[in-house]
Amino acid sequence: MNKLLMLLLALIMSCTNASSQKSGDMQKKGEILASESQGGAEKAGFRMLKDQAELKSTITENFGRAGMLPVMEIPVFQKDKKFVLYNLGTFNSGEHKVSEIRSISVKDNVLFVEIPEYQSGGMEIQVMSNPWFIFSVPSNFQFTSVELKYSK
């Protein structure tokens, strides 16, 4: 059992290291640092995070609203990137957690973030959720608003 647990931990660690090495690809796609289906604000919107302390407090605060403790390691704030908290708003049902950023671009001071379109599984239990995610973009991106683009 311990060997299986160690193998699983090694697999997770290797996946973590592999994703952080694709820095050129991250410049085009952005990078999700935290994403949860509960704990966000009721209205959609974004906020820029300024430093490591604000990043840490934002993650712990959003988990706290959902009645949970963060089980993730707090990411390290990097000076060459901008960090954005995006609240998706309130949904009636389904899983709205953002798991991938397909592309990012800026046009007319609007940051367009392309994410996979949500597909409902049909009959679902009606549960209110307030999903949120924190992502990074290159520090040279200049924008005053963020717009999500859903793609198949």
Side-chain angles (χ1 to χ4, degrees):
M1 185 67 167
N2 285 341
K3 289 181 182 180
L4 182 61
L5 183 59
M6 292 303 286
L7 180 64
L8 181 61
L9 183 60
L11 179 66
I12 291 171
M13 294 304 288
S14 69
C15 291
T16 303
N17 289 339
S19 65
S20 65
Q21 293 172 357
K22 298 178 183 177
S23 60
D25 196 34
M26 293 299 176
Q27 293 292 328
K28 297 175 188 169
K29 287 188 167 186
E31 180 181 9
I32 294 178
L33 302 172
S35 181
E36 288 298 323
S37 58
Q38 292 292 339
E42 292 180 6
K43 293 188 178 189
F46 81 101
R47 179 171 57 108
M48 300 297 293
L49 304 178
K50 298 177 196 115
D51 55 24
Q52 183 70 35
E54 188 174 14
L55 177 63
K56 181 180 179 181
S57 69
T58 298
I59 290 173
T60 55
E61 174 186 308
N62 283 332
F63 274 102
R65 277 193 231 153
M68 302 180 290
L69 294 175
V71 293
M72 62 178 285
E73 185 175 320
I74 305 297
V76 176
F77 194 86
Q78 300 170 14
K79 299 289 183 193
D80 64 335
K81 295 183 179 183
K82 291 183 180 181
F83 291 80
V84 181
L85 164 67
Y86 194 91
N87 291 295
L88 278 76
T90 301
F91 294 91
N92 289 9
S93 64
E95 177 65 37
H96 297 273
K97 181 177 175 179
V98 176
S99 59
E100 174 187 1
I101 294 177
R102 293 194 173 151
S103 69
I104 55 173
S105 62
V106 177
K107 183 177 179 184
D108 298 327
N109 287 328
V110 177
L111 175 67
F112 293 96
V113 181
E114 184 181 356
I115 60 174
E117 183 176 38
Y118 168 72
Q119 297 278 330
S120 175
M123 296 296 289
E124 298 170 347
I125 297 172
Q126 294 292 312
V127 176
M128 299 300 283
S129 66
N130 297 86
W132 60 275
F133 68 109
I134 297 174
F135 64 98
S136 67
V137 297
S139 60
N140 62 345
F141 279 27
Q142 301 298 320
F143 56 93
T144 55
S145 63
V146 176
E147 186 175 316
L148 296 184
K149 293 179 3 181
Y150 296 93
S151 65
K152 292 185 179 190

